Short mmCIF file of all heavy atoms in Angstrom, two decimals:
data_model
loop_
_atom_site.label_atom_id
_atom_site.label_comp_id
_atom_site.label_asym_id
_atom_site.label_seq_id
_atom_site.Cartn_x
_atom_site.Cartn_y
_atom_site.Cartn_z
N ASN A 414 -7.71 3.65 -45.17
CA ASN A 414 -7.78 2.16 -45.20
C ASN A 414 -6.84 1.69 -46.29
O ASN A 414 -7.17 1.78 -47.54
CB ASN A 414 -9.14 1.64 -45.46
CG ASN A 414 -9.31 0.19 -45.63
OD1 ASN A 414 -8.34 -0.55 -45.26
ND2 ASN A 414 -10.44 -0.38 -46.00
N LYS A 416 -5.99 -1.21 -46.92
CA LYS A 416 -6.32 -2.51 -47.37
C LYS A 416 -5.04 -3.40 -47.39
O LYS A 416 -4.21 -3.30 -46.45
CB LYS A 416 -7.00 -2.52 -48.74
CG LYS A 416 -8.21 -1.48 -48.75
CD LYS A 416 -9.18 -1.64 -49.98
CE LYS A 416 -10.30 -0.58 -49.78
NZ LYS A 416 -11.27 -0.66 -50.93
N HIS A 494 -16.04 -4.48 -43.42
CA HIS A 494 -15.91 -3.92 -44.74
C HIS A 494 -16.43 -4.81 -45.80
O HIS A 494 -16.42 -6.07 -45.65
CB HIS A 494 -14.27 -3.73 -45.07
CG HIS A 494 -14.06 -2.84 -46.16
ND1 HIS A 494 -14.16 -3.40 -47.46
CD2 HIS A 494 -13.78 -1.58 -46.35
CE1 HIS A 494 -13.92 -2.37 -48.38
NE2 HIS A 494 -13.61 -1.26 -47.70
N GLU A 554 -20.43 2.92 -47.56
CA GLU A 554 -19.65 2.66 -48.64
C GLU A 554 -20.41 1.73 -49.58
O GLU A 554 -20.29 0.55 -49.59
CB GLU A 554 -18.35 1.96 -48.18
CG GLU A 554 -17.45 2.66 -47.25
CD GLU A 554 -15.99 2.09 -47.36
OE1 GLU A 554 -15.73 0.93 -47.24
OE2 GLU A 554 -15.10 2.94 -47.55
N ALA A 558 -19.40 1.93 -55.54
CA ALA A 558 -18.43 3.17 -55.51
C ALA A 558 -17.05 2.91 -55.04
O ALA A 558 -16.12 3.76 -55.16
CB ALA A 558 -19.00 4.17 -54.47
N ILE A 559 -16.80 1.65 -54.58
CA ILE A 559 -15.39 1.33 -54.11
C ILE A 559 -14.50 0.98 -55.14
O ILE A 559 -14.69 0.05 -55.90
CB ILE A 559 -15.58 0.14 -53.05
CG1 ILE A 559 -16.41 0.52 -51.85
CG2 ILE A 559 -14.22 -0.29 -52.61
CD1 ILE A 559 -16.59 -0.51 -50.79
N GLY A 560 -13.46 1.81 -55.27
CA GLY A 560 -12.39 1.66 -56.18
C GLY A 560 -12.83 1.75 -57.64
O GLY A 560 -12.06 1.20 -58.56
N GLY A 586 -15.80 5.65 -50.68
CA GLY A 586 -16.03 5.08 -52.00
C GLY A 586 -15.68 6.16 -53.08
O GLY A 586 -16.25 7.12 -53.34
N SER A 587 -14.39 5.86 -53.64
CA SER A 587 -13.81 6.82 -54.67
C SER A 587 -13.71 8.20 -54.26
O SER A 587 -13.92 9.16 -54.99
CB SER A 587 -14.62 6.64 -55.97
OG SER A 587 -14.64 5.32 -56.46
N LEU A 604 -13.93 7.66 -45.22
CA LEU A 604 -13.13 6.49 -45.21
C LEU A 604 -12.49 6.31 -46.55
O LEU A 604 -13.11 6.06 -47.55
CB LEU A 604 -13.94 5.17 -44.82
CG LEU A 604 -13.26 3.88 -44.75
CD1 LEU A 604 -12.09 3.91 -43.81
CD2 LEU A 604 -14.27 2.83 -44.22
N ILE A 605 -11.12 6.33 -46.65
CA ILE A 605 -10.51 6.46 -47.93
C ILE A 605 -9.59 5.24 -48.26
O ILE A 605 -8.72 4.82 -47.36
CB ILE A 605 -9.59 7.80 -47.90
CG1 ILE A 605 -10.51 8.98 -47.65
CG2 ILE A 605 -8.87 8.02 -49.21
CD1 ILE A 605 -9.84 10.20 -47.34
N GLY A 606 -9.82 4.66 -49.41
CA GLY A 606 -9.04 3.58 -49.79
C GLY A 606 -7.89 3.98 -50.74
O GLY A 606 -6.81 4.54 -50.22
N GLY A 607 -8.06 3.88 -52.09
CA GLY A 607 -7.07 4.17 -53.03
C GLY A 607 -6.30 5.51 -52.80
O GLY A 607 -4.97 5.49 -52.83
P1 13P B 1314 -11.70 3.52 -52.48
O1 13P B 1314 -11.47 4.92 -51.83
O2 13P B 1314 -10.51 3.04 -53.18
O3 13P B 1314 -12.92 3.67 -53.41
O4 13P B 1314 -12.03 2.52 -51.30
C1 13P B 1314 -13.02 2.87 -50.39
C2 13P B 1314 -12.87 1.88 -49.30
O5 13P B 1314 -13.23 0.71 -49.43
C3 13P B 1314 -12.38 2.31 -48.03
O6 13P B 1314 -12.61 1.42 -47.10
#
Side-chain angles (χ1 to χ4, degrees):
N414 176 10
K416 307 193 179 183
H494 191 281
E554 298 204 308
I559 296 178
S587 297
L604 180 53
I605 302 171

